[in-house]
Amino acid sequence: MLKLGVLASGGGSNLQAIIDEIAAKKLDAEIRVVISNKTDAYALTRAKNHGIPTRVITKEAFPVKDAFDAQICRALKESGVELVVLAGYMRLLSPAVIRAFPQRMMNIHPSLLPSFSGLHVQQKALEYGVKFSGATVHFVDEGLDTGPIIIQAVVPVLDSDTVESLSKRILAEEHRIYPEAIRLFIEDRLTVEGRRVFIKDPAVRAIKEAKK
Ligand code: GRF
């Protein structure tokens, strides 16, 4: 059973999607800790509702970035986390934390990367006039939303869309592809070569295993 650590700053609907998949026994994982940099993040309530341990690490308590990140790292290690899942975590992590979990940290982003990285991306997509946007799950590297892409989902941008309606349509896809990416990781089906992430076919993998 894979031990997950989830970092979230907000509502935690992606966290909920992962909790639900675990509860439905579709993900062979256990969330060991939910960490937030916001005391009032609803994600913390969602975690508590499911008996998941929580930690709050704020920049008010740890104003020096290195000390803040050391706390995050310590909390993840103390909980025995094997895969770090950033689910609406709105703070950049320092290279030290990222290096502590090489190719064992994922993020979800509400656009088709590399288009529209950073913040307010649904608004940027509407303003630019793209006809399609979507969601991306990627491994985290030291850049902003630049890590190797694991899965993407495409959604149409409608003439009638507002930031809210487009965000809602994208979020529904996020809730589908984030658990899927974690499942592929659990099944050891992800191979990273440079920027590219290859997804092994389970049948091919089974043949290779049998030949060993
Ligand atoms: C999602 O749109 C995610 O892609 C972005 O922040 C939002 C978090 O939503 N990084 P939630 O907290 O999971 O509801």
Side-chain angles (χ1 to χ4, degrees):
M1 191 178 277
L2 188 75
K3 301 180 186 88
L4 305 177
V6 179
L7 270 62
S9 305
S13 69
N14 278 289
L15 165 68
Q16 189 67 53
I18 296 163
I19 290 172
D20 292 346
E21 290 276 301
I22 293 173
K25 305 220 177 301
K26 292 180 187 163
L27 268 187
D28 187 20
E30 176 194 4
I31 303 177
R32 295 294 286 250
V33 66
V34 170
I35 302 173
S36 186
N37 60 325
K38 298 281 174 197
T39 45
D40 59 350
Y42 188 62
L44 293 168
T45 306
R46 293 184 193 269
K48 285 175 191 153
N49 288 344
H50 293 270
I52 299 167
T54 59
R55 296 282 286 268
V56 177
I57 300 170
T58 63
K59 71 170 187 237
E60 289 72 28
F62 296 96
V64 177
K65 177 99 174 109
D66 281 356
F68 177 93
D69 281 325
Q71 287 297 316
I72 301 257
C73 223
R74 184 174 309 158
L76 292 168
K77 296 274 182 194
E78 276 172 8
S79 305
V81 167
E82 296 165 316
L83 178 69
V84 181
V85 175
L86 306 185
Y89 183 68
M90 305 308 277
R91 232 186 148 207
L92 273 182
L93 290 167
S94 68
V97 184
I98 294 163
R99 283 184 208 140
F101 294 91
Q103 288 174 10
R104 288 190 294 126
M105 187 182 286
M106 291 181 182
N107 182 41
I108 187 141
H109 183 80
S111 78
L112 290 175
L113 289 171
S115 291
F116 311 124
S117 58
L119 296 174
H120 311 301
V121 298
Q122 297 92 342
Q123 188 172 344
K124 286 180 193 165
L126 285 174
E127 283 170 0
Y128 199 92
V130 291
K131 298 297 184 193
F132 292 92
S133 189
T136 303
V137 181
H138 62 91
F139 282 115
V140 175
D141 67 8
E142 292 173 29
L144 175 64
D145 302 324
T146 53
I149 291 168
I150 302 168
I151 307 186
Q152 292 186 302
V154 179
V155 307
V157 179
L158 308 179
D159 290 349
S160 57
D161 264 333
T162 58
V163 170
E164 289 70 32
S165 64
L166 179 59
S167 302
K168 195 172 164 201
R169 196 174 313 112
I170 292 173
L171 208 49
E173 287 301 301
E174 294 185 36
H175 299 162
R176 185 177 66 76
I177 65 172
Y178 215 176
E180 180 60 23
I182 296 168
R183 187 165 22 253
L184 292 169
F185 185 94
I186 291 170
E187 292 172 358
D188 193 23
R189 289 174 57 196
L190 300 175
T191 317
V192 185
E193 287 179 28
R195 282 215 49 82
R196 297 187 70 188
V197 179
F198 295 96
I199 300 176
K200 280 179 261 177
D201 186 307
V204 172
R205 189 168 156 263
I207 291 166
K208 279 189 186 155
E209 291 292 316
K211 280 185 182 164
K212 272 187 192 168

